[in-house]
Amino acid sequence: MAASVKQYKVIGEELWKGRSEKINAELFALTYGALVVQLIQDYEDYDEVNKQLEKMGYNIGTRLIEDFLARSGMGRCSDFREVGEVIAKVGFKTFLNISPGVVHAPPPSPSVNRQSNPTPSQPSFILTFDENPLAEFVELPEEALEGGLWFSNVLCGVIRGALEMDIGQGFGFRPGSFDGAISISVLQWLLNAETSHPTSSPPHRLTRFFTTLHSALKNPSRAVFQFYPSSDDQIQLITSIAQKAGFGGGIVVDYPNSKKARKVFLCLYVGQQPTQKLPEALDGEEEQDSKVRFERRREREKSRSKSKRKSVKDRDWIIKKKELYRKRGKEGVPNDSKYTGRKRRAVF
C-alpha cells in the first residue's frame, strides 16, 4: 500500500496543477464562513445547521464525483482501505489542494449476539486535517463551538454524496436542463442489485432513473438508449417503468435476424410532438462476415494506415533537431556537414 499512497499523492498534485478554475476552491473557502453564519441566524439551532451543512455537501458531492472521475480516470477501488487513500490523496488534493492524513482503524472483531451468530463490523478510517482552508478566514465564537456546531460538516456531506452517487439513485439536475439524452450500454447495469437493500432492486433503480431523467429533459425532447438485454422480460420491465415515468415511445431493433449486428434501442419522447413516430429499424439479411457497416469501414481504415509508408527522417529534420538541442544547451551535438542525413550504401 506504501507504493499506492505515493502514487495517489502524485496523481492528486498533477490534477491540482492542471486545474484552470482554481478560483472556485478559493472563492468557496472565502464565502463559506459567511454561509455558516447565515445558517445560524436562520435556524438558531446548531443541530439543524449541522444537518443543512451535511445536506448541502451531499448535493455538492453528487455533482463533484463526475468531474473527479472524468479528470482522474480512477477506476473502482479494490477495498475500503483504498477508498480512504483515494479520497485523501487525490480527492481533497484535486479540489482543495490539501492532503489530510489517513488513519485506518483495524478491523474490529465480530460481535456475537445471543444466538452466537457473529455479525461483521464495518471498516472505518479517520481523516486528520493539518490545515483546513474553510477555517482560515473565520473566527468562531466559543458559544458556537460549545453549542455543538460542526463547522466543516459540509465536507462529510461531500464525501457521502460522492460515494453514494449512482445513476440508479437518479439525477440531481434542475428540471428542463437538457434538450435530449443519448446513452450506450447503461440501462443493463441498472438491472444489477449490488446489495439486498430495497433501494438497490432493479425496479427501484429504474424508477428513480427514468423519473429524474424525465424531469431533467425539456418538453418536447427525445432520449435514445442502446442496451443489451439478456431476455424479453428485461425489455418489458424497462419499457413499462419508462412509460410509468411519463415517457412515450418504444423499442427499435436493428438487424433482428443477425447475431452480431443486432442492436436494441429504447427510443423515448417527452411531451406531445406532431411527428411522434419511432424511427425505422435497419432490416435485411445478415451482412457478409456478420459485420455491420462501420466495422468494415474500420477494418479498411486500419489496413490503409498499415500500408502507408512511414515518415523518413531526412536531412532537414536532422538539422532542425540539432538546432533544437543546441538551443536547449545540450552538449555533444555533432556539427553539420555534407554527410549529415546522408544514406549509407548497403555494402562498403
PDB file of all heavy atoms in Angstrom, residues 177-182 213 216-218 220-224:
ATOM      1  N   SER A 177     -33.355  20.846 -17.945  1.00  0.00           N
ATOM      2  CA  SER A 177     -31.986  21.288 -18.209  1.00  0.00           C
ATOM      3  C   SER A 177     -31.466  20.851 -19.567  1.00  0.00           C
ATOM      4  O   SER A 177     -30.539  21.470 -20.092  1.00  0.00           O
ATOM      5  CB  SER A 177     -31.040  20.753 -17.117  1.00  0.00           C
ATOM      6  OG  SER A 177     -31.400  21.232 -15.845  1.00  0.00           O
ATOM      7  N   PHE A 178     -32.020  19.789 -20.160  1.00  0.00           N
ATOM      8  CA  PHE A 178     -31.433  19.211 -21.364  1.00  0.00           C
ATOM      9  C   PHE A 178     -32.469  19.111 -22.480  1.00  0.00           C
ATOM     10  O   PHE A 178     -33.661  18.933 -22.237  1.00  0.00           O
ATOM     11  CB  PHE A 178     -30.856  17.819 -21.066  1.00  0.00           C
ATOM     12  CG  PHE A 178     -29.802  17.821 -20.001  1.00  0.00           C
ATOM     13  CD1 PHE A 178     -30.122  17.442 -18.704  1.00  0.00           C
ATOM     14  CD2 PHE A 178     -28.512  18.212 -20.287  1.00  0.00           C
ATOM     15  CE1 PHE A 178     -29.158  17.454 -17.720  1.00  0.00           C
ATOM     16  CE2 PHE A 178     -27.548  18.230 -19.306  1.00  0.00           C
ATOM     17  CZ  PHE A 178     -27.869  17.851 -18.017  1.00  0.00           C
ATOM     18  N   ASP A 179     -31.957  19.220 -23.720  1.00  0.00           N
ATOM     19  CA  ASP A 179     -32.803  19.083 -24.909  1.00  0.00           C
ATOM     20  C   ASP A 179     -32.945  17.634 -25.354  1.00  0.00           C
ATOM     21  O   ASP A 179     -33.805  17.321 -26.169  1.00  0.00           O
ATOM     22  CB  ASP A 179     -32.226  19.905 -26.065  1.00  0.00           C
ATOM     23  CG  ASP A 179     -32.192  21.389 -25.733  1.00  0.00           C
ATOM     24  OD1 ASP A 179     -33.131  21.860 -25.083  1.00  0.00           O
ATOM     25  OD2 ASP A 179     -31.226  22.058 -26.124  1.00  0.00           O
ATOM     26  N   GLY A 180     -32.101  16.767 -24.861  1.00  0.00           N
ATOM     27  CA  GLY A 180     -32.153  15.369 -25.257  1.00  0.00           C
ATOM     28  C   GLY A 180     -31.133  14.561 -24.482  1.00  0.00           C
ATOM     29  O   GLY A 180     -30.312  15.110 -23.741  1.00  0.00           O
ATOM     30  N   ALA A 181     -31.164  13.248 -24.643  1.00  0.00           N
ATOM     31  CA  ALA A 181     -30.231  12.355 -23.956  1.00  0.00           C
ATOM     32  C   ALA A 181     -29.897  11.182 -24.856  1.00  0.00           C
ATOM     33  O   ALA A 181     -30.776  10.649 -25.553  1.00  0.00           O
ATOM     34  CB  ALA A 181     -30.830  11.854 -22.640  1.00  0.00           C
ATOM     35  N   ILE A 182     -28.619  10.798 -24.870  1.00  0.00           N
ATOM     36  CA  ILE A 182     -28.146   9.645 -25.635  1.00  0.00           C
ATOM     37  C   ILE A 182     -27.310   8.782 -24.707  1.00  0.00           C
ATOM     38  O   ILE A 182     -26.457   9.293 -23.972  1.00  0.00           O
ATOM     39  CB  ILE A 182     -27.307  10.069 -26.853  1.00  0.00           C
ATOM     40  CG1 ILE A 182     -28.132  10.937 -27.808  1.00  0.00           C
ATOM     41  CG2 ILE A 182     -26.767   8.851 -27.596  1.00  0.00           C
ATOM     42  CD1 ILE A 182     -27.352  11.479 -28.973  1.00  0.00           C
ATOM     43  N   LEU A 213     -34.819  11.522 -14.950  1.00  0.00           N
ATOM     44  CA  LEU A 213     -34.463  11.872 -16.325  1.00  0.00           C
ATOM     45  C   LEU A 213     -35.614  12.615 -16.996  1.00  0.00           C
ATOM     46  O   LEU A 213     -35.394  13.599 -17.718  1.00  0.00           O
ATOM     47  CB  LEU A 213     -34.114  10.610 -17.110  1.00  0.00           C
ATOM     48  CG  LEU A 213     -33.811  10.816 -18.595  1.00  0.00           C
ATOM     49  CD1 LEU A 213     -32.566  11.670 -18.773  1.00  0.00           C
ATOM     50  CD2 LEU A 213     -33.643   9.478 -19.305  1.00  0.00           C
ATOM     51  N   ALA A 216     -35.507  16.115 -15.881  1.00  0.00           N
ATOM     52  CA  ALA A 216     -34.366  16.899 -16.359  1.00  0.00           C
ATOM     53  C   ALA A 216     -34.481  17.272 -17.831  1.00  0.00           C
ATOM     54  O   ALA A 216     -33.775  18.169 -18.298  1.00  0.00           O
ATOM     55  CB  ALA A 216     -33.067  16.134 -16.130  1.00  0.00           C
ATOM     56  N   LEU A 217     -35.346  16.589 -18.589  1.00  0.00           N
ATOM     57  CA  LEU A 217     -35.492  16.863 -20.015  1.00  0.00           C
ATOM     58  C   LEU A 217     -36.550  17.940 -20.257  1.00  0.00           C
ATOM     59  O   LEU A 217     -37.533  18.042 -19.517  1.00  0.00           O
ATOM     60  CB  LEU A 217     -35.890  15.589 -20.766  1.00  0.00           C
ATOM     61  CG  LEU A 217     -34.826  14.494 -20.852  1.00  0.00           C
ATOM     62  CD1 LEU A 217     -35.407  13.251 -21.491  1.00  0.00           C
ATOM     63  CD2 LEU A 217     -33.605  14.972 -21.622  1.00  0.00           C
ATOM     64  N   LYS A 218     -36.316  18.731 -21.313  1.00  0.00           N
ATOM     65  CA  LYS A 218     -37.277  19.759 -21.692  1.00  0.00           C
ATOM     66  C   LYS A 218     -38.490  19.132 -22.383  1.00  0.00           C
ATOM     67  O   LYS A 218     -38.462  17.961 -22.767  1.00  0.00           O
ATOM     68  CB  LYS A 218     -36.624  20.788 -22.631  1.00  0.00           C
ATOM     69  CG  LYS A 218     -35.569  21.650 -21.968  1.00  0.00           C
ATOM     70  CD  LYS A 218     -35.011  22.661 -22.947  1.00  0.00           C
ATOM     71  CE  LYS A 218     -33.963  23.543 -22.273  1.00  0.00           C
ATOM     72  NZ  LYS A 218     -33.389  24.538 -23.208  1.00  0.00           N
ATOM     73  N   PRO A 220     -40.853  19.819 -25.668  1.00  0.00           N
ATOM     74  CA  PRO A 220     -40.624  18.411 -26.015  1.00  0.00           C
ATOM     75  C   PRO A 220     -39.133  18.091 -26.169  1.00  0.00           C
ATOM     76  O   PRO A 220     -38.322  18.986 -26.416  1.00  0.00           O
ATOM     77  CB  PRO A 220     -41.351  18.285 -27.349  1.00  0.00           C
ATOM     78  CG  PRO A 220     -41.189  19.640 -27.970  1.00  0.00           C
ATOM     79  CD  PRO A 220     -41.211  20.630 -26.837  1.00  0.00           C
ATOM     80  N   SER A 221     -38.784  16.822 -26.037  1.00  0.00           N
ATOM     81  CA  SER A 221     -37.407  16.356 -26.243  1.00  0.00           C
ATOM     82  C   SER A 221     -37.431  14.851 -26.456  1.00  0.00           C
ATOM     83  O   SER A 221     -38.481  14.204 -26.329  1.00  0.00           O
ATOM     84  CB  SER A 221     -36.527  16.723 -25.039  1.00  0.00           C
ATOM     85  OG  SER A 221     -37.044  16.136 -23.862  1.00  0.00           O
ATOM     86  N   ARG A 222     -36.262  14.309 -26.760  1.00  0.00           N
ATOM     87  CA  ARG A 222     -36.144  12.879 -27.029  1.00  0.00           C
ATOM     88  C   ARG A 222     -34.964  12.296 -26.269  1.00  0.00           C
ATOM     89  O   ARG A 222     -34.036  12.997 -25.887  1.00  0.00           O
ATOM     90  CB  ARG A 222     -35.949  12.623 -28.535  1.00  0.00           C
ATOM     91  CG  ARG A 222     -37.086  13.103 -29.413  1.00  0.00           C
ATOM     92  CD  ARG A 222     -36.828  12.747 -30.855  1.00  0.00           C
ATOM     93  NE  ARG A 222     -37.907  13.219 -31.731  1.00  0.00           N
ATOM     94  CZ  ARG A 222     -37.973  12.950 -33.027  1.00  0.00           C
ATOM     95  NH1 ARG A 222     -37.023  12.219 -33.597  1.00  0.00           N
ATOM     96  NH2 ARG A 222     -38.976  13.407 -33.749  1.00  0.00           N
ATOM     97  N   ALA A 223     -35.018  10.985 -26.087  1.00  0.00           N
ATOM     98  CA  ALA A 223     -33.931  10.248 -25.440  1.00  0.00           C
ATOM     99  C   ALA A 223     -33.795   8.894 -26.127  1.00  0.00           C
ATOM    100  O   ALA A 223     -34.804   8.239 -26.418  1.00  0.00           O
ATOM    101  CB  ALA A 223     -34.201  10.063 -23.948  1.00  0.00           C
ATOM    102  N   VAL A 224     -32.553   8.491 -26.382  1.00  0.00           N
ATOM    103  CA  VAL A 224     -32.276   7.222 -27.061  1.00  0.00           C
ATOM    104  C   VAL A 224     -31.272   6.438 -26.226  1.00  0.00           C
ATOM    105  O   VAL A 224     -30.226   6.968 -25.833  1.00  0.00           O
ATOM    106  CB  VAL A 224     -31.726   7.449 -28.488  1.00  0.00           C
ATOM    107  CG1 VAL A 224     -31.449   6.115 -29.163  1.00  0.00           C
ATOM    108  CG2 VAL A 224     -32.697   8.275 -29.308  1.00  0.00           C
TER     109      VAL A 224
END
